[in-house]
Amino acid sequence: MDNTKVMADGTKDFALRKVSSHCSISEMDDYDLSKLLDKPRLNIERQRSFDERSLSELSIGLTRALENYDGVYSPGRSGLNTPASSTRNSFEPHPMVADAWEALRRSLVYFRGQPVGTIAAYDHASEEVLNYDQVFVRDFVPSALAFLMNGEPDIVKNFLLKTLQLQGWEKRIDRFKLGEGAMPASFKVLHDPLRKTDTIIADFGESAIGRVAPIDSGFWWIILLRAYTKSTGDLSLSETPECQKGMRLILSLCLSEGFDTFPTLLCADGCSMIDRRMGIYGYPIEIQALFFMALRSALVMLKHDAEGKEFVERIVKRLHALSYHIRSYFWLDFQQLNDIYRYKTEEYSHTAVNKFNVIPDSIPDWVFDFMPTRGGYFIGNVSPARMDFRWFALGNCVAILSSLATPEQASAIMDLIEERWEELVGEMPLKISYPAIESHEWRIVTGCDPKNTRWSYHNGGSWPVLLWLLTAACIKTGRPQIARRAIDLAESRLLKDIWPEYYDGKLGRYIGKQARKYQTWSIAGYLVAKMMLEDPSHLGMISLEEDKLMKPVIKRSSSWTC
C-alpha cells in the first residue's frame, strides 16, 4: 500500500519566504508559489484560466473561445496509493500519509462495481451507525479533491453523475414537495447479494435530524464540478445537457425573486455543515460564501445558449449586489466595531447609518476582548436588529478562496487567525465557531441539544476537516507557514487518536465525546492539506481569482452610509 519513499536528505525543515498577503493566483508571475517552499521549482502553467474573465466581460457576451483555456491545474497522474506530489517533489512523506490513504480507500462505496463516493465514517466500534454509513455530498468534497490531486478523476466523475441523477427525483417530505433542483444531503447504496442488485436510497432531509433539507449540497456540487474540470482540463462533462440542466435547476432555487430586500440567501437553521440548531437561521456567512462561490463557478461553466444566457445575466447582477452586501455589512474589524458601538438607533430613510437598527447594547462583551487592533473577519449573520458576532471558520475560508473577501480583507482574516491562534486553533485545527454558547443562551438557542454542549461538536468544537480549507486560504494569501504550523499540530494527534470526527474543549485537547473514529473527511482533509502545501498548483482547482472590475467595497464605516 505504501508507495512513498524517504528522501536521502531526511530533513523536514524548509525555509518559508515572506510573501505579500495580498498575493493572488493571478499575480503568481510576481510571487512564484514554488518559492514559498525551498524546493526545486514546480512546473505551474501560466495561461489565462477559463474562470479568470471578469463578470463584466461575461455580461456583454464574451465568446466561448476563452473558456477553452485552462490555467493552473493538476494534470492526470498515476493512480498511486500515496499522493503523486510526495513522490515527485523533495518532501519527506509523513508516516501517517500511507495510513490515511489506506483508510480513505477503505471508505469507498461502490454502485454496480463503480466507486461513487466515500462513507462518512468507518467506525464499526460505534454502537450506533445512524447515517455515518452514507455518502454525504458535503463530506465527499475533500475526498474528491484528494482523488483529483492524486490523478484519479473517475471516482469524482461517477459521484457527480450519480448525484445528478438523484437531483431529478421527486422529493416529498410529509406530503410537501421540495424544489426541483434540491440536491440530496446523502445517499446509501444497498447491496442485495441474492438478486445481485444495487439500490440507492437518497436523503433530502426527510430522514435528517430536525428534518432540514441541505442548502449547501447544490453549491458544493457546482464547486466540485468546476474542480473536476480544472483538475482534468476536460470541459466535456460540464458541457453535457445533464450537467447544464443540473446547474440551472440549482440556480433557479437560489436566484428566485421574492419579498427579501437583501441579495443574501435566507436559510433555516441546520441547513449546512452546522446541521443542528445553533442560531444560524437568517443569512449565515457559510451559506453566503458558498452561494457566492457556486455562482462564480457556474458562471464560467454555463453555456451561452438561450437558456444559459438568461442565467448568466442574473448571476452577474446577483454577484455584484451580494459582494457589496457581504463586504460592507458582514465585515468587522476594530474600527467597524467601534463605529457600531457608537450607533444611534431608530433611524429612518436613506440617510440612516445604522441601516439594520442594531442596538449597541446587543454587542456581546467577548467581542471587545477578542477583536485585535490588527485583523478582522466576516461575522456569522446580519439581519434586522440582529448581528451574530461569532467567528465561523468555513464561511471565512470560503470567502477567501472565492475572492468574496477583498485582498485586504483576506489578509486581515489571516492576521486575526495569527493574533487569536490559541482561541481559533489551539491544540487541534480548527474551531468551527467561536466562542461557544452556554448556560441559559445554550438552552434557548440549541433547544438543550446534548451534543452541542459548550466547546463540543458545532458549538465551538475543533474539526480536523477544516485543515484543508485553512491550508488553501493560507496558500492563497501567501501565508504557508501558518498552514505548516497547523498541519504539524494535526500530525501530532490524528493518527494516534484514530482520525476522530471532532475534538472538544477550549483548546481542542480532548477527542469529541460522541466523535466517530476513522471519520473520512478528517482523513481526506489532512491529505488535501498535505498535498496542497507540497504542490501549491493544486490550489487552482478550488480557488477563484478576484474580479478586477467588481465594484470594491467602500472602506469601513463609510460603507454603512451609502
Side-chain angles (χ1 to χ4, degrees):
M1 203 72 181
D2 186 1
N3 289 298
T4 60
K5 59 181 180 180
V6 178
M7 304 310 296
D9 58 9
T11 180
K12 293 171 66 178
D13 297 326
F14 38 93
L16 297 171
R17 173 175 155 233
K18 181 73 174 178
V19 177
S20 168
S21 59
H22 296 173
C23 174
S24 65
I25 296 296
S26 60
E27 298 166 329
M28 281 185 192
D29 292 320
D30 298 324
Y31 302 104
D32 186 11
L33 279 180
S34 65
K35 293 179 182 177
L36 296 176
L37 308 172
D38 190 18
K39 299 295 174 183
R41 179 176 179 135
L42 304 175
N43 181 23
I44 304 177
E45 294 188 28
R46 297 290 175 228
Q47 295 176 343
R48 193 183 188 204
S49 172
F50 84 128
D51 61 354
E52 288 173 359
R53 294 161 297 146
S54 71
L55 304 181
S56 300
E57 287 178 285
L58 282 163
S59 64
I60 60 174
L62 182 67
T63 61
R64 293 282 291 171
L66 285 175
E67 294 182 30
N68 294 324
Y69 286 90
D70 194 27
V72 181
Y73 79 96
S74 311
R77 295 167 179 161
S78 59
L80 299 176
N81 293 331
T82 49
S85 57
S86 290
T87 58
R88 187 184 64 187
N89 299 325
S90 300
F91 286 87
E92 177 189 353
H94 194 279
M96 64 190 275
V97 169
D99 187 276
W101 273 106
E102 183 178 355
L104 181 60
R105 295 190 188 284
R106 192 166 60 234
S107 70
L108 281 168
V109 173
Y110 292 83
F111 179 78
R112 296 175 184 172
Q114 296 293 321
V116 292
T118 51
I119 60 172
Y122 195 80
D123 186 3
H124 292 308
S126 176
E127 295 179 1
E128 291 183 305
V129 175
L130 296 178
N131 54 3
Y132 283 83
D133 61 346
Q134 298 185 21
V135 180
F136 279 79
V137 173
R138 74 174 68 97
D139 289 40
F140 181 67
V141 171
S143 296
L145 295 177
F147 287 124
L148 287 174
M149 292 177 186
N150 201 43
E152 302 177 67
D154 289 345
I155 302 171
V156 182
K157 185 176 183 179
N158 294 340
F159 170 85
L160 289 167
L161 291 173
K162 187 52 60 183
T163 46
L164 190 61
Q165 292 175 2
L166 298 176
Q167 183 194 35
W169 286 14
E170 181 176 296
K171 301 165 274 285
R172 288 185 180 272
I173 300 178
D174 288 342
R175 301 185 180 183
F176 184 73
K177 186 177 180 181
L178 287 183
E180 187 181 5
M183 281 286 187
S186 63
F187 65 86
K188 184 174 183 176
V189 178
L190 298 178
H191 302 283
D192 188 334
L194 296 178
R195 298 181 181 180
K196 295 182 178 179
T197 58
D198 288 346
T199 307
I200 283 185
I201 299 176
D203 178 14
F204 293 89
E206 67 269 31
S207 300
I209 295 174
R211 299 299 187 267
V212 180
I215 292 179
D216 60 342
S217 291
F219 297 154
W220 279 123
W221 186 88
I222 291 175
I223 292 167
L224 186 56
L225 178 61
R226 176 193 169 273
Y228 171 86
T229 305
K230 290 286 289 183
S231 176
T232 61
D234 177 19
L235 295 170
S236 62
L237 179 62
S238 65
E239 291 186 343
T240 60
E242 293 78 14
C243 284
Q244 291 289 310
K245 181 181 178 182
M247 284 189 284
R248 292 196 302 268
L249 286 175
I250 294 169
L251 295 171
S252 293
L253 284 178
C254 309
L255 296 174
S256 59
E257 296 173 343
F259 288 95
D260 209 330
T261 59
F262 309 140
T264 40
L265 196 61
L266 186 61
C267 307
D269 222 340
C271 65
S272 59
M273 177 183 175
I274 298 177
D275 58 5
R276 285 172 177 249
R277 185 174 169 185
M278 270 290 290
I280 63 168
Y281 54 87
Y283 309 91
I285 184 61
E286 174 178 326
I287 291 298
Q288 312 316 316
L290 285 171
F291 182 30
F292 183 87
M293 191 168 191
L295 287 177
R296 290 202 62 194
S297 297
L299 190 60
V300 296
M301 292 188 291
L302 283 170
K303 290 184 176 180
H304 287 219
D305 52 21
E307 293 178 293
K309 188 176 180 180
E310 176 194 351
F311 279 95
V312 167
E313 293 172 354
R314 292 169 68 186
I315 290 172
V316 170
K317 291 178 181 178
R318 190 64 167 264
L319 282 172
H320 279 281
L322 183 62
S323 64
Y324 177 84
H325 187 89
I326 298 294
R327 291 171 180 178
S328 303
Y329 305 130
F330 277 67
W331 182 251
L332 190 72
D333 56 18
F334 184 83
Q335 180 63 49
Q336 188 67 16
L337 179 60
N338 206 155
D339 291 341
I340 298 172
Y341 176 68
R342 292 167 50 82
Y343 268 169
K344 294 179 181 179
T345 59
E346 305 302 324
E347 294 181 301
Y348 180 74
S349 84
H350 297 289
T351 60
V353 174
N354 185 1
K355 289 188 176 183
F356 302 104
N357 199 39
V358 174
I359 312 299
D361 287 346
S362 68
I363 303 175
D365 292 339
W366 65 264
V367 179
F368 296 102
D369 295 327
F370 178 74
M371 179 60 68
T373 54
R374 184 179 71 98
Y377 65 104
F378 291 110
I379 62 174
N381 220 318
V382 176
S383 57
R386 177 176 179 260
M387 296 182 77
D388 183 350
F389 290 90
R390 285 177 294 175
W391 149 273
F392 289 93
L394 180 55
N396 277 273
C397 287
V398 172
I400 291 174
L401 295 178
S402 64
S403 289
L404 172 58
T406 65
E408 294 78 15
Q409 288 173 334
S411 178
I413 292 170
M414 301 311 298
D415 287 341
L416 180 87
I417 292 173
E418 285 190 296
E419 292 286 330
R420 295 292 177 256
W421 185 266
E422 288 298 306
E423 292 92 336
L424 302 179
V425 181
E427 295 187 17
M428 177 55 64
L430 177 67
K431 279 271 180 284
I432 189 172
S433 62
Y434 181 89
I437 53 178
E438 49 191 322
S439 304
H440 183 61
E441 185 185 10
W442 168 78
R443 293 184 181 92
I444 296 173
V445 172
T446 74
C448 298
D449 186 352
K451 196 167 187 177
N452 266 339
T453 53
R454 62 176 187 162
W455 308 115
S456 181
Y457 203 49
H458 299 315
N459 190 12
S462 298
W463 292 71
V465 63
L466 297 171
L467 186 63
W468 80 264
L469 284 156
L470 175 63
T471 300
C474 288
I475 295 172
K476 183 168 184 178
T477 55
R479 313 270 189 104
Q481 69 278 6
I482 299 178
R484 177 72 266 166
R485 184 181 175 190
I487 289 173
D488 286 344
L489 282 173
E491 287 178 338
S492 69
R493 291 286 304 274
L494 280 180
L495 181 59
K496 181 178 66 175
D497 296 338
I498 320 180
W499 307 101
E501 178 184 14
Y502 63 94
Y503 285 79
D504 285 353
K506 276 191 175 183
L507 297 177
R509 179 174 292 179
Y510 305 99
I511 298 173
K513 58 186 175 184
Q514 294 188 43
R516 298 309 197 272
K517 300 294 182 69
Y518 287 113
Q519 185 77 17
T520 303
W521 68 355
S522 295
I523 297 164
Y526 164 72
L527 287 172
V528 171
K530 193 79 170 175
M531 286 190 281
M532 202 178 296
L533 192 62
E534 292 180 1
D535 184 353
S537 69
H538 287 313
L539 180 66
M541 72 173 74
I542 200 64
S543 174
L544 289 159
E545 301 326 305
E546 181 188 8
D547 190 305
K548 301 295 184 182
L549 298 181
M550 189 177 290
K551 291 181 180 179
V553 64
I554 299 174
K555 296 295 183 180
R556 290 178 173 164
S557 58
S558 298
S559 65
W560 291 75
T561 64
C562 297

